[in-house]
Amino acid sequence: MNEMSESRYERGKRKLAEIDGEVGEAVIESLADIAPDFARYVVEFPFGDIYSRPGLDLRAREIATIAALTAMGNAHPQLKVHIRAGLNVGLSRDEIVETIMQMAVYAGFPAALNGLSAAREVFAD
């Protein structure tokens, strides 16, 4: 299907599958019983609108996402999903660890330590 004729939702589902595979779909399905509209928003806005934009490749987008979620310090489940996504789009373990360590400068050691803990859990899977 031509990208121009795709709906935001269709474009988002395609991009979500490319980035997160089955894990992304599981997150969307987990919202179906409590907030189906929110599940649609997650597909349409982040993946249909933002991740689908030109300008950054998926590796760069996942580095930025891993950095932001690490800096937040309170998004452990989402950080794990995006560490897996980073691996899926070609980031190495070293690149992910360096991205998380960089956040110690801007978000503090506790946030970086929590991020490294999330990475350890993902790498062990």
Side-chain angles (χ1 to χ4, degrees), residues 43-98:
V43 171
E44 289 177 341
F45 180 63
F47 295 96
D49 293 341
I50 303 300
Y51 272 92
S52 296
R53 291 178 54 80
L56 291 177
D57 65 14
L58 292 179
R59 291 176 90 264
R61 289 189 187 281
E62 285 304 326
I63 287 171
T65 303
I66 290 166
L69 291 170
T70 296
M72 288 176 67
N74 61 356
H76 194 81
Q78 294 82 13
L79 178 56
K80 288 175 59 177
V81 166
H82 283 281
I83 289 170
R84 283 187 191 93
L87 292 169
N88 191 47
V89 301
L91 294 178
S92 70
R93 289 180 177 203
D94 287 343
E95 289 172 314
I96 291 168
V97 168
E98 287 298 324

Side-chain angles (χ1 to χ4, degrees), residues 2 10 17 21 23 38 45 54 65 72 75 81 85-86 98 103 112 115-116:
N2 179 324
E10 291 166 332
V23 173
F38 191 74
F45 180 63
T65 303
M72 288 176 67
V81 166
E98 287 298 324
M103 293 306 97
L116 291 170

Side-chain angles (χ1 to χ4, degrees), residues 1-8 10-11 14-15 18 48 52-54:
M1 178 179 281
N2 179 324
E3 281 190 39
M4 294 303 290
S5 64
E6 270 185 313
S7 72
R8 291 172 73 211
E10 291 166 332
R11 188 173 54 248
R14 182 174 48 80
K15 193 58 72 173
E18 182 182 351
S52 296
R53 291 178 54 80

